[in-house]
Amino acid sequence: GVWRASHVIDEASRSLMVHDGKLYVGAIDRALKVYDLKTLECIETLVHHERCIWSMLVVNQFLVTGSADFTLGVWRFAKEDGEPALQLVASLGDHSGWIVQLLSYGNKLVTACLDGFVRVWDTHGDPVDWRRVKVIEVSENEENEVYSVAAIDNKLVTASSDGAIHVYFDARQQHEQRQSQ
C-alpha cells in the first residue's frame, strides 16, 4: 500500500507533537502553532523562541520545546476551556547550541545539543517547579555535535557528528552498585 496525503497544512516546520486532540507545530518562523486535529485549523500561534523550534516533548503534563536559540521553553497545557492552549511557565538556558532532541528518561529530561553536550535535567516533584529545574549531569563531547540521544537501561546512547555511537553510563549509580555488593 501507498500512503497518500489527504490534507496538507502549508507550514514550514521542524518539529511536530500530537497531544490530547491537538497538533503542535514548531515552525521555522519560530512560532509554536496549535492545530485542532479534527478540523486541521490553526487555533493558536505562540511566539517565545527567537529561532525555530527543533524538538518537542510532553514531560509531566508540560510541553517542552527545544530551539535553535539555545533555550528550552516549558509550556503548561490549558486546564480549563477558554484558556490559551499553552502558557509559558519557564525558559531554561544553559545550552550553547541548537537543541535538536528531547528525551524523557524516568524523572529526567535529556537534551541533545549541537554544542556537543547531552544535558540531564531533574524533573522530579509534583508539581514540577520548572523555575528551579537544574542541569544535574553533563556528558561531554565538545568536539562533536550531538544529533540524537536514546536511553537503554541505565545508559544514554548518542549519535554525533564524528559518525560514532557514544554510550554513557551514570558513574555515580555504578559506584553505588559496587558499594552495595
Side-chain angles (χ1 to χ4, degrees):
V2 176
W3 290 75
R4 299 194 190 283
S6 63
H7 295 85
V8 176
I9 297 173
D10 190 17
E11 188 67 62
S13 62
R14 288 290 178 257
S15 56
L16 301 169
M17 170 66 59
V18 174
H19 179 74
D20 200 26
K22 295 182 179 66
L23 172 66
Y24 298 88
V25 177
I28 288 177
D29 68 2
R30 69 193 176 90
L32 175 56
K33 298 192 178 183
V34 184
Y35 288 84
D36 182 293
L37 276 179
K38 290 178 185 168
T39 64
L40 295 180
E41 290 184 35
C42 183
I43 57 174
E44 195 163 350
T45 299
L46 304 149
V47 178
H48 160 68
H49 291 289
E50 295 177 15
R51 298 185 71 189
C52 72
I53 298 169
W54 275 93
S55 52
M56 284 189 243
L57 184 67
V58 175
V59 177
N60 294 341
Q61 299 303 310
F62 291 86
L63 179 69
V64 180
T65 53
S67 173
D69 68 4
F70 310 168
T71 66
L72 294 172
V74 181
W75 306 82
R76 180 180 62 82
F77 291 105
K79 292 182 179 178
E80 299 175 16
D81 289 339
E83 281 188 342
L86 294 168
Q87 183 177 23
L88 185 71
V89 295
S91 183
L92 306 174
D94 207 33
H95 295 85
S96 56
W98 295 10
I99 304 162
V100 294
Q101 189 183 8
L102 305 173
L103 172 70
S104 181
Y105 179 57
N107 63 351
K108 296 173 180 61
L109 169 66
V110 182
T111 57
C113 188
L114 295 187
D115 65 4
F117 291 92
V118 171
R119 290 170 179 80
V120 181
W121 304 75
D122 189 350
T123 59
H124 78 280
D126 188 22
V128 176
D129 184 353
W130 287 99
R131 294 165 297 176
R132 297 184 186 276
V133 169
K134 301 284 185 223
V135 173
I136 59 169
E137 198 173 313
V138 176
S139 298
E140 192 172 332
N141 189 356
E142 288 183 80
E143 296 173 11
N144 300 295
E145 297 173 326
V146 178
Y147 297 137
S148 185
V149 63
I152 302 171
D153 299 323
N154 292 323
K155 298 174 184 73
L156 294 176
V157 181
T158 63
S160 354
S161 61
D162 64 357
I165 303 297
H166 299 268
V167 180
Y168 299 92
F169 62 93
D170 186 339
R172 294 170 299 176
Q173 205 171 45
Q174 192 174 47
H175 178 73
E176 289 170 8
Q177 287 174 347
R178 285 187 193 141
Q179 295 284 6
S180 66
Q181 293 177 351

